[in-house]
Amino acid sequence: MMFGPHSPYIYASYGVAAVIIVLLIAGAYRSRAAARRRLTDLERLEGGQ
Amino acid sequence: MTDATTPPAQGFWAAFWSLANPGRFMVYSARWLPWLWLLTGLTMAYGLYKGLFVAPADYQQGESMRIMYIHVPAAWLGMFVYATMTVSALGTLVWRHPLADVSQKAAAPVGAGFTVICLVTGSFWGKPTWGTWWEWDARMTSVLVLLLIYLGIIALWRAIDEPLRAARAVAIMTLVGAINLPIIKFSVDWWNTLHQPASVFKKGGPSIHPDMLEPLLVMGIAFSLLFAAIHIVRMQAEIIDRRADRLAQRAASRED
């Protein structure tokens, strides 16, 4: 193992941090995409009336 | 309101108020965001390379010290994001800045995420170093309290439907919770803790070796840029969502 006997702790730390960071980024883009979809739908509805 | 006798705002305040327009914020942020992501990626890659492969191991802790390069920046950001939210809370209550509550709402989940990273990686570092995953000492407990405050703020945003009322309630709660920031920072000085005292931001300068300090500071910058990028995307989402809310309300009032 690359970092000796402490490797599992190091891998686990970096792994957990990576997962949380990916979730934060994905969550931000997902909520922006959902908001855009909602706005587009409402604008389309508005335009149709 | 500016009248003929009031000189126009200059410098920082001019920029502060020019970005108060959500439309202008959307235009500028869309232009900056790709560059911000690029800078974040490059800084993070450089920091990780230096921290994991170039920096020496600690003479006492050995390789487990490398956890510091994510644990410490995450701890800084957990506190920095809360400080940003405190300024935004003042922006909501005192200056009535139109984007202050948007900023505050967008920052809370990101701050909570960084605080979780800090607590989990601290636990993974604590086991090989202290022989325990967790200890109810002042530093660890005060950081856990910070996480609970973040969760409380997120819950309060969701509990109140009316945005203006929610913003004011959250701003007051954020200002009250800010008392925890100096407690976290000075907990290692005020109480006898298992957690080590400050080794970077302290009187007399950092006590950490420059070969370890450099990747740590680079990772601190990378995490700050990461926060800025995620925060901007979340603010864009919130602004678009509020536009949709206004449109929905207009449509509903026409139907009545």
Side-chain angles (χ1 to χ4, degrees):
Chain A
M1 290 204 273
M2 202 166 159
F3 300 109
H6 293 154
S7 291
Y9 299 106
I10 297 172
Y11 295 148
S13 296
Y14 280 82
V16 168
V19 168
I20 292 174
I21 288 170
V22 167
L23 286 176
L24 285 174
I25 296 170
Y29 276 96
R30 212 175 124 243
S31 51
R32 193 179 71 173
R36 273 192 182 147
R37 264 198 311 275
R38 187 171 161 238
L39 182 65
T40 311
D41 289 349
L42 283 163
E43 280 172 344
R44 199 174 299 143
L45 222 71
E46 182 103 328
Q49 283 177 351
Chain B
M1 195 191 285
T2 307
D3 60 35
T5 57
T6 313
Q10 297 283 320
F12 170 78
W13 289 108
F16 182 74
W17 283 108
S18 76
L19 279 176
N21 180 323
R24 200 171 295 151
F25 174 84
M26 293 297 281
V27 172
Y28 283 128
S29 63
R31 210 175 287 164
W32 297 336
L33 200 55
W35 297 104
L36 191 56
W37 278 121
L38 182 69
L39 199 59
T40 306
L42 291 174
T43 319
M44 186 79 79
Y46 180 71
L48 285 173
Y49 167 70
K50 293 284 276 187
L52 286 174
F53 305 111
V54 179
D58 184 70
Y59 79 104
Q60 273 185 324
Q61 299 181 38
E63 299 283 353
S64 70
M65 177 278 303
R66 295 188 195 282
I67 295 171
M68 171 179 78
Y69 300 116
I70 41 166
H71 170 74
V72 174
W76 287 341
L77 262 291
M79 292 173 69
F80 174 76
V81 173
Y82 199 90
T84 307
M85 285 169 54
T86 307
V87 174
S88 298
L90 286 173
T92 302
L93 295 173
V94 182
W95 303 306
R96 309 277 164 101
H97 193 290
L99 287 179
D101 62 309
V102 174
S103 160
Q104 208 185 346
K105 190 175 181 183
V110 192
F114 282 125
T115 310
V116 170
I117 292 176
C118 168
L119 287 168
V120 173
T121 56
S123 193
F124 281 128
W125 195 5
K127 184 63 182 164
T129 311
W130 302 326
T132 180
W133 298 101
W134 180 262
E135 186 69 40
W136 290 99
D137 85 346
R139 170 58 68 86
M140 289 175 241
T141 308
S142 55
V143 174
L144 182 64
V145 168
L146 177 69
L147 177 63
L148 296 177
I149 293 173
Y150 272 127
L151 297 180
I153 286 170
I154 295 167
L156 193 57
W157 270 115
R158 291 182 180 188
I160 305 174
D161 283 336
E162 213 261 293
L164 200 66
R165 268 188 60 223
R168 287 195 184 145
V170 168
I172 291 166
M173 186 177 172
T174 305
L175 290 176
V176 173
I179 192 72
N180 194 40
L181 292 184
I183 294 176
I184 295 172
K185 167 71 185 149
F186 297 111
S187 57
V188 285
D189 304 320
W190 292 341
W191 292 284
N192 187 18
T193 57
L194 184 60
H195 194 283
Q196 66 173 67
S199 49
V200 179
F201 298 111
K202 65 185 198 99
K203 272 187 194 165
S207 56
I208 186 169
H209 193 278
D211 288 348
M212 297 170 178
L213 183 63
E214 189 210 327
L216 181 60
L217 293 179
V218 172
M219 286 301 284
I221 294 168
F223 269 53
S224 305
L225 293 169
L226 178 68
F227 163 62
I230 300 174
H231 191 212
I232 286 174
V233 177
R234 292 191 63 89
M235 281 181 74
Q236 290 175 334
E238 185 61 27
I239 290 169
I240 297 168
D241 214 33
R242 289 185 186 194
R243 275 184 195 162
D245 281 345
R246 279 196 299 274
L247 212 59
Q249 274 168 7
R250 221 165 48 207
S253 63
R254 253 203 319 269
E255 277 170 21
D256 286 342

